[in-house]
Amino acid sequence: MTSPALVAFDLDDTLAPSKGPIDPRIAALLRALLEKVEVAVISGGNEAQFRSQIIARLGALDPVAADRLHLLPTCGTRYLRFDGTDFSPVYAHDLSAEQKSAALAALREEAERLGLWEAEPWGEILEDRGSQITFSALGQKAPHEAKRDWDPSGAKRAALRDAVAGRLPELEVRSGGSTSIDVTLAGIDKAFGMRQLAAHTSIPLASMLFYGDRLDEGGNDYPVLAIGVPSVAVHGWEDTADRLDELLTTL
């Protein structure tokens, strides 16, 4: 493809360790990228994570660079843009109170039935992210090594996803990260977020470039590839940084 007009990224295990801040090297590369093209980050993480993992680590951006940064928490159910002072919502597709209650109950009950509810997790297992309910099997603050080893085949997540989806036919239930299940409004995944991005920026999907660590079929980045966005599979933030070094020489 020719030089992309917009470069988009997954967050956890693509730009940063899971739920960790971006490294200074990534921050410097993103700032360099923002001098040349539009930049987007789309992830299942909530708005607070985006603020702590990305915004707080980028430092002061000039208004032109800040205007080029597009942030899509919870798989694009929220969209944040710089308003001249801060990053504020362009839209938010939140779940209703009834939908949240049903999702929280289904996730807990099915996890318990399948023997996947941890007695001593690292932090909360269930989180209300407004536009998304997230189940984190080992807790929100679980260390990377424990998360990596919990379900390497994906079988546990698949079983829980299928069980919960059967109880919530009007909602979208999908595997998120290495230990998580996400519930949103129906039809919402990262493909939804990328289409929203295209609509709001008038940049065609084919003119974007996406970096993600779960582009395999069934991975939570795969929907981006499936709708025709040119995509690059990476293995951790260090790999992303190396590839961005290469990309920047071509822009």
Side-chain angles (χ1 to χ4, degrees), residues 79-249:
Y79 179 25
L80 309 178
R81 291 292 305 277
F82 190 66
D83 63 8
T85 303
D86 195 5
F87 285 85
S88 59
V90 175
Y91 66 71
H93 299 299
D94 287 345
L95 294 162
S96 69
E98 293 77 11
Q99 289 168 328
K100 290 178 182 180
S101 178
L104 289 166
L107 284 164
R108 174 154 195 156
E109 291 166 9
E110 293 305 320
E112 288 176 339
R113 183 180 66 81
L114 293 168
L116 300 177
W117 188 267
E118 291 292 324
E120 298 181 2
W122 286 275
E124 295 297 320
I125 291 176
L126 294 173
E127 183 185 5
D128 178 354
R129 297 179 175 178
S131 52
Q132 178 175 293
I133 300 296
T134 295
F135 167 90
S136 296
L138 302 179
Q140 294 291 333
K141 299 179 181 178
H144 177 73
E145 295 76 13
K147 293 169 68 173
R148 179 195 62 206
D149 295 339
W150 182 74
D151 185 27
S153 71
K156 294 177 182 177
R157 279 169 292 156
L160 181 57
R161 192 217 75 82
D162 291 348
V164 173
R167 291 181 52 171
L168 304 172
E170 77 285 4
L171 297 176
E172 188 79 26
V173 184
R174 65 184 174 278
S175 230
S178 55
T179 64
S180 63
I181 300 294
D182 296 327
V183 180
T184 63
L185 294 172
I188 290 179
D189 55 16
K190 287 184 180 177
F192 168 86
M194 295 300 288
R195 288 192 175 106
Q196 290 292 308
L197 191 58
H200 281 82
T201 62
S202 298
I203 297 173
L205 295 173
S207 296
M208 299 179 182
L209 180 63
F210 176 78
Y211 291 79
D213 71 307
R214 294 286 310 282
L215 284 163
D216 53 295
E217 191 166 355
N220 64 352
D221 295 324
Y222 180 75
V224 180
L225 178 65
I227 60 170
V229 178
S231 300
V232 178
V234 295
H235 306 283
W237 72 263
E238 299 93 341
D239 186 22
T240 303
D242 290 343
R243 291 171 182 268
L244 286 181
D245 281 333
E246 297 172 4
L247 176 67
L248 282 164
T249 66

Side-chain angles (χ1 to χ4, degrees), residues 27-71:
L29 287 165
L30 290 178
R31 288 193 295 269
L33 205 55
L34 285 164
E35 293 178 5
K36 299 175 180 292
V37 296
E38 306 287 311
V39 174
V41 182
I42 180 168
S43 168
N46 63 21
E47 182 176 329
Q49 287 174 244
F50 272 61
R51 293 186 179 278
S52 63
Q53 289 180 259
I54 304 168
I55 296 173
R57 300 292 169 162
L58 285 176
L61 297 172
D62 68 66
V64 173
D67 190 56
R68 287 177 174 162
L69 182 58
H70 309 260
L71 301 174

